[in-house]
Amino acid sequence: MILTVTLNTALDITYRVPGLRPHASHRVTEVTERPGGKGLNVARVLAALGHEVTVTGFAGGTTGGVVRAGLTGVPGVTDALVRVTGATRRTVAVVDDRTGDTTQLNEPGPAVAPAEWNAFQEAYADLLTGAAAVALCGSLPPGVPVGAYAGLVRAARAAGVPVLLDTSGEPLRRGLAARPDLIKPNADELAELTGSHEPLRAAQAARRRGAGSVVASLGAEGLLAVTPEGRWRAAPPAQVRGNPTGAGDSAVAGLLSGLVEHLSWPDRLARAVALSAATVLAPVAGEFDRAAYEELLGRGVAVTAEAGAA
Ligand SMILES: O=P(O)(O)OC[C@@]1(O)O[C@H](CO)[C@@H](O)[C@@H]1O
């Protein structure tokens, strides 16, 4: 079983509007709602690839109920979310039909009480005993200590479970010190973490600060991996246009599935890039287009080794 942790789950709402303008009123032409928060997106993609996945984190209130209802019946996904008194947040992705651009609005999430945080940590320790790998994903809701991920990384390492951390800002900075096996920042997150806007240099700096491996997602340029086994760049065969929400989560699912299947780094990266591009091509945020995924993999994702020490 693969475990994904989403402390700040969300009901993801996607609005389509024919041209988004500040200060204007808009008619929404299409609304979709689905369970979200990064770890839930990762879980759905892993399950679609044939893995058994358990999801944990927090869920509460009416929105939490809708999120949980949306997970029931998803083949391969087991709900082990911990109930909280506060209400699970909503996030809104507004897709501008004219430009194709997406604007994201993320609520902060419910206030988590100390007893709820303790209950989660106990549940997490139990779940680790059956896990082949764990992904810790997304922002922290109010009330969860900013060093939370450091503790969760340490617990995974103590249990001998490979751990991937995908977050940003101070939670990433602190989590890194606990030495996660892999981090997957985007270019902005990596620059914020290291102060360097040059992705290769920044990824090397992140490794020195504690990450076993770094896979940076660089938008249209694909992925840059800096690992103890070598360095690679992986890019899709053609540029894809669409809604990028969840594309990073699909890359995480590709990397994690590749890890538990013992794929080589180039094969993991090819899978992650193809999944990520197939997510941009899917009409609903956080889903991937399976036909596009298979076609992209079949056409071959260019994975090139970079010279030099990791
Ligand atoms: O606020 P966070 O936790 O950083 O990000 C939340 C979020 O925007 O990320 C996912 C896409 O990656 C969405 O499903 C989700 O709502």
Side-chain angles (χ1 to χ4, degrees), residues 35 65-75 77 79:
V66 178
V67 165
R68 296 187 93 152
L71 291 174
T72 50
V74 179
V77 175
D79 175 355

Side-chain angles (χ1 to χ4, degrees), residues 48-134:
L49 294 173
H51 287 275
E52 286 297 319
V53 193
T54 298
V55 297
T56 188
F58 295 113
T62 311
T63 35
V66 178
V67 165
R68 296 187 93 152
L71 291 174
T72 50
V74 179
V77 175
T78 302
D79 175 355
L81 292 165
V82 173
R83 187 186 297 275
V84 277
T85 308
T88 293
R89 65 180 170 156
R90 290 155 304 181
T91 74
V92 179
V94 185
V95 181
D96 182 330
D97 272 337
R98 227 158 266 163
T99 62
D101 291 339
T102 304
T103 304
Q104 186 80 29
L105 302 167
N106 292 355
E107 294 181 4
V112 174
E116 293 170 332
W117 170 233
N118 289 340
F120 167 80
Q121 289 176 92
E122 278 171 28
Y124 173 73
D126 286 347
L127 289 165
L128 278 177
T129 60
V134 58

Side-chain angles (χ1 to χ4, degrees), residues 8 10 12 36-38 41 89 91 104 106 137-139 245-246 249:
N8 214 356
D12 280 350
K38 298 188 188 318
N41 297 339
R89 65 180 170 156
T91 74
Q104 186 80 29
N106 292 355
C137 307
S139 60
T245 313
D249 306 332

Side-chain angles (χ1 to χ4, degrees), residues 43 54 86 102 121 129 144 156 186 191 209 229 239 245 254 263 290:
T54 298
T102 304
Q121 289 176 92
T129 60
V144 170
N186 62 31
R209 290 200 197 174
E229 288 93 62
Q239 203 167 331
T245 313
L263 298 187
R290 184 173 279 277

